[in-house]
Amino acid sequence: MIRRAIKHLSRFRRREDGVSSVEFVILFPLYIALFGSAYEAGLINTRYAMLERGLDLAVRDLRLGTDPTPTHAELVSAICNYAGVIPDCSNALHVELENVSTTDWTYRTGQVQCIDRDENIKPVINFTGGGLNALMLVTVCAVFEPMVPVTGLGMRLPKVNSSDYALVAMSAFVNEP
């Protein structure tokens, strides 16, 4: 009985019927993780570039004075319109506008505030328009869900809450008289 089992096992080991399926089963998850990470990296770069572009164009409008005293909602709307590819943009952005002191160059104390979608509480918005010839700093934090959260890059991204990651963009301008 044992001799028969050993003979059957050795015959099974010599067969090459399914060798390629073993390689496929081992390597396929690695390739999928690699392609998922590459897709995620491209999407992050695209979203960051468009967030920077949206912020730069909105700040350009502020500098040119097309709307000298925009509200927080108007600034968020302008950034969202210019950025274009940010999903659920108005609920994903946190925009702060603050005055930078030119005597001691103090600004932004602490971490950049982002929206936490897990909580119903919204962070405090610092949105002060500043006076004439004031140096202003605009900080935008956009929150996104990873496309492939369980593999590769999606799993390694620093999270704002249990599932979202954040992209931060900053720009500065001077209020013209």
Side-chain angles (χ1 to χ4, degrees):
M1 176 89 166
I2 294 177
R3 187 178 287 176
R4 181 185 254 175
I6 292 173
K7 188 176 181 183
H8 181 66
L9 188 59
S10 66
R11 212 175 330 136
F12 176 74
R13 286 187 61 205
R14 280 183 286 200
R15 291 178 59 191
E16 295 183 10
D17 292 5
V19 173
S20 62
S21 63
V22 172
E23 291 172 356
F24 177 79
V25 167
I26 292 171
L27 295 177
F28 182 71
L30 298 174
Y31 283 118
I32 290 301
L34 179 69
F35 289 130
S37 293
Y39 180 75
E40 190 81 51
L43 192 61
I44 289 170
N45 285 332
T46 300
R47 286 178 174 168
Y48 184 69
M50 293 305 289
L51 179 66
E52 284 278 343
R53 178 185 183 275
L55 178 61
D56 286 343
L57 291 175
V59 166
R60 181 177 183 270
D61 288 346
L62 285 173
R63 280 194 323 258
L64 293 177
T66 56
D67 187 4
T69 56
T71 63
H72 179 265
E74 290 172 343
L75 189 57
V76 168
S77 176
I79 293 170
C80 289
N81 288 338
Y82 287 131
V85 297
I86 299 175
D88 193 22
C89 185
S90 60
N91 294 324
L93 288 186
H94 178 78
V95 179
E96 291 188 11
L97 178 66
E98 64 182 298
N99 192 356
V100 177
S101 171
T102 55
T103 57
D104 57 0
W105 299 100
T106 57
Y107 65 95
R108 177 147 295 289
T109 57
Q111 290 183 333
V112 174
Q113 293 291 317
C114 294
I115 292 176
D116 187 353
R117 293 183 188 177
D118 289 346
E119 300 289 330
N120 290 333
I121 301 169
K122 301 288 184 194
V124 176
I125 297 170
N126 181 10
F127 197 80
T128 55
L132 298 178
N133 291 322
L135 179 61
M136 304 303 295
L137 178 69
V138 182
T139 307
V140 178
C141 179
V143 179
F144 302 101
E145 288 183 23
M147 291 298 289
V148 189
V150 293
T151 61
L153 182 62
M155 195 165 47
R156 301 270 189 237
L157 289 170
K159 304 289 192 283
V160 172
N161 53 32
S162 62
S163 63
D164 298 336
Y165 67 93
L167 297 177
V168 176
M170 292 183 174
S171 187
F173 66 97
V174 175
N175 284 336
E176 296 296 328

